[in-house]
Amino acid sequence: LLDDSGPAVVKNITLDRAVRIELICKLHDKYSSLKVIQVTWKKGNETIGHINKTENSWSIQLTISDNSKLGSYNCTVKGEKEFSVVFHLQGKLLPKIDVKDKPVITYEGDIAVLVCKSLNSTPISWTWYMTNGSEQIAINDSLVLDKYVIDKAFPNVTQLKILKLTSKDDGVYWCEAAFELGKSKGKMKLKVLSLMVPLKPFLAIVAEVVVLVAVIFLFEIYSKRREKCA
């Protein structure tokens, strides 16, 4: 419904799923006798073809299949006066991805299991990524044979098993849930420790004992030599 009182009319529309919709701008009945020269529909700077439904109403039909179709759509009617309306199409807040806050810590040669859950909604698909510097590399079962296993038993849960861990597996991992109108990500950190790490305290104690025994042994030798000399 267009009017010339003040700025452009704004309509906010929130969508929670893929849908086919029709946006209509129509002159108020009191302006029905005005001569219309030009009608323009735009998304950003892109002009969109429209349908003249009646003499004083114009519409566009949209299939909102992903978040690239969301945004602001503007209808401008020019004649003796100028009218406009803006439709803001926005997606419903995407579900949060539940992940473990603390780093997953394990050792070389072990198996690491990373888990992501989608809260209150089931994704269309899941994708796992690993960070290599500034680049994200997609992970799938065939990326490296006998290395990665992705469990798809539950639609709202995904598990990534990393086999035969090495120091190269240490880093940041992402799980991405794809929904009809957008994607949500979860971030986890994997810390792979050397097998020598748990032995370090023991080796330190052993080293201290060896040093202590050596000192005692040397002291005993020195004492016996002094007695012999005396």
Side-chain angles (χ1 to χ4, degrees):
L1 178 65
L2 300 179
D3 203 321
D4 64 346
S5 57
V9 178
V10 177
K11 302 291 184 181
N12 295 313
I13 303 172
T14 301
L15 305 173
D16 60 358
R17 63 183 184 278
V19 68
R20 183 173 177 79
I21 63 173
E22 183 178 37
L23 304 180
I24 302 173
C25 67
K26 179 182 178 181
L27 284 176
H28 194 279
D29 289 342
K30 65 181 179 180
Y31 300 117
S32 59
S33 61
L34 292 180
K35 183 179 180 181
V36 175
I37 300 174
Q38 183 182 22
V39 177
T40 306
W41 276 93
K42 286 188 175 183
K43 180 179 186 293
N45 294 323
E46 179 187 357
T47 302
I48 303 171
H50 62 268
I51 301 170
N52 191 352
K53 295 185 72 69
T54 67
E55 186 177 352
N56 290 312
S57 71
W58 305 265
S59 71
I60 57 172
Q61 295 180 343
L62 304 170
T63 300
I64 310 299
S65 55
D66 55 56
N67 59 357
S68 67
K69 302 296 183 181
L70 300 176
S72 297
Y73 293 80
N74 178 275
C75 172
T76 302
V77 179
K78 293 182 179 181
E80 298 172 37
K81 295 184 177 183
E82 183 173 317
F83 307 88
S84 64
V85 61
V86 181
F87 297 90
H88 292 301
L89 302 188
Q90 56 194 9
K92 188 177 179 181
L93 186 65
L94 293 172
K96 182 181 177 182
I97 303 302
D98 184 29
V99 296
K100 188 176 180 180
D101 293 332
K102 297 181 179 179
V104 176
I105 301 176
T106 186
Y107 296 95
E108 291 180 341
D110 286 348
I111 298 174
V113 180
L114 307 180
V115 182
C116 287
K117 297 179 182 179
S118 171
L119 302 178
N120 305 322
S121 187
T122 301
I124 300 171
S125 63
W126 288 97
T127 306
W128 281 94
Y129 298 91
M130 63 184 298
T131 302
N132 184 6
S134 60
E135 182 183 6
Q136 285 189 348
I137 302 173
I139 297 174
N140 54 56
D141 296 335
S142 60
L143 181 62
V144 178
L145 295 176
D146 301 327
K147 183 63 177 178
Y148 301 104
V149 177
I150 299 176
D151 188 352
K152 305 173 183 176
F154 301 98
N156 66 325
V157 180
T158 180
Q159 289 187 354
L160 173 65
K161 293 182 181 179
I162 308 173
L163 312 176
K164 303 174 183 177
L165 288 170
T166 68
S167 59
K168 294 181 180 179
D169 298 315
D170 190 290
V172 176
Y173 291 79
W174 299 81
C175 59
E176 182 181 81
F179 300 93
E180 287 183 327
L181 295 180
K183 297 178 180 179
S184 288
K185 286 185 177 182
K187 177 183 177 182
M188 282 165 288
K189 188 172 183 179
L190 175 64
K191 187 68 177 176
V192 180
L193 303 178
S194 169
L195 291 174
M196 292 299 293
V197 171
L199 294 176
K200 284 183 178 179
F202 174 74
L203 294 176
I205 294 172
V206 170
E208 290 179 2
V209 171
V210 170
V211 170
L212 182 60
V213 170
V215 170
I216 294 173
F217 179 72
L218 293 173
F219 180 76
E220 288 291 331
I221 293 176
Y222 176 73
S223 298
K224 288 180 179 181
R225 286 182 177 179
R226 287 192 63 182
E227 290 176 2
K228 187 175 181 181
C229 290

